[in-house]
Amino acid sequence: MTVFERVKKVIKEKKRTIKEVSQNISMAEKGLHNALNNETLKVKVLLEIAGYLKVSPNIFFTDSSNYPESDKLATLYEDENSYQVKNSSQK
């Protein structure tokens, strides 16, 4: 399973839509669809998606059979903001 397929799977498992995710990461829905379908998603966007879905970004890069079911994904880290991308001006 590719990173992009895993992103789609986790979005579905978390009962979210591409539209909801795109609105919450400030990316156009069509742009997110295209990036997932064309396998051109940037790491920054993956981190933003992980932050919104409250999952570790590692889940996109590791075989999902090694992870708990989606209802337990949020427990993989303590701070829900730990995977938010920060501007370089923020400290």
Side-chain angles (χ1 to χ4, degrees):
M1 182 178 287
T2 69
V3 169
F4 309 96
E5 291 168 332
R6 287 187 188 112
V7 170
K8 291 178 194 178
K9 181 179 179 187
V10 173
I11 289 170
K12 185 175 181 178
E13 287 178 350
K14 296 295 262 180
K15 296 182 169 77
R16 300 288 186 241
T17 65
I18 298 291
K19 181 177 183 175
E20 288 173 312
V21 173
S22 67
Q23 290 172 337
N24 285 281
I25 65 167
S26 301
M27 185 175 189
E29 179 181 1
K30 183 172 177 135
L32 183 54
H33 271 291
N34 288 342
L36 289 169
N37 291 332
N38 297 326
E39 299 186 356
T40 58
L41 207 55
K42 294 181 180 182
V43 172
K44 178 184 176 204
V45 176
L46 281 172
L47 293 173
E48 291 174 351
I49 292 170
Y52 171 67
L53 296 174
K54 295 180 174 59
V55 297
S56 167
N58 292 339
I59 198 158
F60 302 135
F61 300 98
T62 307
D63 180 10
S64 61
S65 64
N66 295 329
Y67 282 90
E69 293 302 314
S70 63
D71 61 337
K72 298 177 184 173
L73 293 177
T75 63
L76 292 176
Y77 62 96
E78 296 174 14
D79 180 7
E80 70 182 43
N81 295 317
S82 64
Y83 296 107
Q84 294 295 320
V85 176
K86 296 181 179 169
N87 294 331
S88 58
S89 62
Q90 294 177 334
K91 296 193 178 190

